[in-house]
Structures are given as structure tokens and as C-alpha cells.
């Protein structure tokens, strides 16, 4: 089959959606010196700062396109729950954002750690906590998440190894956020900019 070109200035990604329809058996939590702190109503600036620290290497930008009112409408919704990963000094180094706005569903909307913590086993602990929080909500029948080919190379396997089953694949194209100033031009050097 022929290739389908992506317009200059845009990026394409294959998005894989995964789901978990049964609560996994209880297991011992992986050891960590990190902790989770509930963020019931973070300011838009505080949220964006952590979102950028985690997501710039992977070109996370969707929340950067929202003005403060739009962002706060989501992150302050009582059915959206956010936790920050905190180190021993009190510095925020990761995020878990669970979205319960659809009845019976829990979307892991955002899940990640700052780049210097990836690959050190903290993600297993964080996922165990996210699943514990998600399945603790009354009426949840399904937890789902999506990842894409712009994420860390091991992201898809991480979700599968955590008990999720892929159920859908889509192609997404969008304007390169580095070209429109949402993300610094030197972010995500593994993804070439084609102006």
C-alpha cells in the first residue's frame, strides 16, 4: 500500500487505546521513596508547570491549548481526580489524572513521571496506585488509557504488562506544537521538526 504523506509542519502518531475490564488481584506495591498527594484544585499555572515537565519530551500539548477557564473546568470537575507524585523534598515529579465523567468508566487521562525518574521502577508503583484509585470508585466497570508512538518507547508494553488489553488503533495528525510556540523548539529531539 502507498504511504500517505503528512503535511509539512504536522506530526502523525498511531494511537493505541487499551482497557481493563476486571479488577486485578491485589499484589504487594513496588517499593518507592515517592508519595502521592491529592490535588483537588490545582491552579492552571501549577498544573501546566508539572504537565510540561513530564510531557515536553513526548510532545504533550493538548492541555496547553486551553485557556485557564477551559483547563480549570476540566481539572476542577469533581469527577476528575488528580494526584501529584511528590519526592522527599516535596517536589512534584509526576501525575496521575483519573477521569470518571463517563458513567462506569475511569479514563487514565494523564499518567507520567519527569524524565529523570523513568526506567527506575517508579512507574509500576504509580500504576498500582492509579488502578487502586480507579477500581475503588463505586460503579467502575472499565478502566482505559491510550498511548501513542510519540510516547516513551516502552509505554505500550508497560500498559500491556500492567494488565491492559489493546482494543483500538487510530492515526492522529496535528500541527507540531514546537512550530506554534506551545512547546520549546528544542523539545523532543527524537522527533524531527519538518517546517
Amino acid at each position: 500500500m502507498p504511504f500517505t504523506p503528512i503535511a509539512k509542519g504536522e506530526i502523525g502518531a498511531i494511537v493505541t487505546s487499551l482497557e481493563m475490564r476486571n479488577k486485578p488481584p491485589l499484589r504487594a506495591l513496588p517499593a518507592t521513596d515517592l508519595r502521592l498527594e491529592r490535588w483537588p484544585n490545582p491552579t492552571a499555572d501549577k498544573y501546566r508547570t508539572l504537565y510540561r515537565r513530564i510531557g515536553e519530551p513526548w510532545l504533550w500539548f493538548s492541555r496547553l491549548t486551553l485557556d485557564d477557564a477551559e483547563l480549570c473546568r476540566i481539572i476542577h470537575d469533581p469527577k476528575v481526580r488528580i494526584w501529584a507524585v511528590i519526592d522527599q523534598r516535596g517536589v512534584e515529579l509526576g501525575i496521575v489524572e483519573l477521569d470518571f465523567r463517563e458513567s462506569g468508566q475511569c479514563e487514565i487521562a494523564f499518567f507520567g513521571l519527569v524524565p529523570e525518574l523513568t526506567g527506575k521502577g517508579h512507574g509500576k508503583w504509580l500504576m498500582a496506585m492509579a488502578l487502586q484509585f480507579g477500581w475503588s470508585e463505586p460503579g467502575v466497570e472499565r478502566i482505559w488509557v491510550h498511548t501513542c508512538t510519540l510516547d516513551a518507547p516502552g509505554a505500550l508494553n508497560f500498559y500491556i504488562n500492567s494488565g491492559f488489553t489493546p482494543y483500538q488503533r487510530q492515526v492522529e495528525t496535528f500541527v507540531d506544537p514546537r512550530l506554534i510556540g506551545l512547546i520549546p523548539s528544542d523539545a523532543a529531539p527524537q522527533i524531527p521538526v519538518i517546517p
Side-chain angles (χ1 to χ4, degrees):
M1 295 182 72
F3 293 111
T4 302
I6 295 171
K8 289 187 177 190
E10 291 192 352
I11 292 178
I14 298 172
V15 179
T16 302
S17 297
L18 306 97
E19 66 183 359
M20 182 182 290
R21 292 194 169 266
N22 295 300
K23 184 176 182 177
L26 287 175
R27 297 181 204 146
L29 282 175
T32 185
D33 56 353
L34 302 173
R35 63 186 170 84
L36 283 173
E37 183 177 291
R38 180 82 162 81
W39 262 13
N41 290 299
T43 65
D45 285 342
K46 186 173 184 176
Y47 179 92
R48 281 192 196 100
T49 297
L50 183 56
Y51 179 90
R52 284 179 179 280
R53 289 184 59 219
I54 297 164
E56 276 184 5
W58 318 113
L59 298 184
W60 288 12
F61 73 94
S62 62
R63 293 292 170 83
L64 304 178
T65 65
L66 305 175
D67 65 29
D68 287 0
E70 292 172 307
L71 177 59
C72 288
R73 212 173 358 266
I74 296 168
I75 65 176
H76 294 171
D77 188 302
K79 292 186 177 183
V80 174
R81 315 254 168 71
I82 302 170
W83 291 263
V85 177
I86 310 291
D87 72 5
Q88 294 175 336
R89 300 164 296 154
V91 177
E92 290 125 0
L93 300 172
I95 194 167
V96 172
E97 181 176 329
L98 302 181
D99 187 336
F100 297 97
R101 291 179 291 177
E102 188 175 336
S103 179
Q105 312 281 315
C106 171
E107 177 189 2
I108 301 177
F110 291 97
F111 176 94
L113 296 162
V114 294
E116 55 268 28
L117 287 184
T118 58
K120 297 183 178 177
H122 299 295
K124 290 178 183 175
W125 164 78
L126 190 58
M127 180 53 74
M129 296 303 295
L131 292 174
Q132 179 180 325
F133 295 147
W135 286 113
S136 295
E137 186 71 15
V140 167
E141 299 171 358
R142 173 181 179 250
I143 296 180
W144 71 280
V145 65
H146 68 268
T147 186
C148 75
T149 51
L150 299 178
D151 275 338
L156 181 57
N157 282 334
F158 172 79
Y159 290 126
I160 292 169
N161 291 336
S162 296
F164 289 89
T165 302
Y167 69 91
Q168 182 181 46
R169 190 173 291 127
Q170 299 171 305
V171 175
E172 176 184 30
T173 60
F174 50 87
V175 174
D176 190 326
R178 295 167 295 187
L179 294 175
I180 56 175
L182 289 175
I183 293 177
S185 60
D186 61 349
Q190 75 278 12
I191 303 163
V193 176
I194 303 175

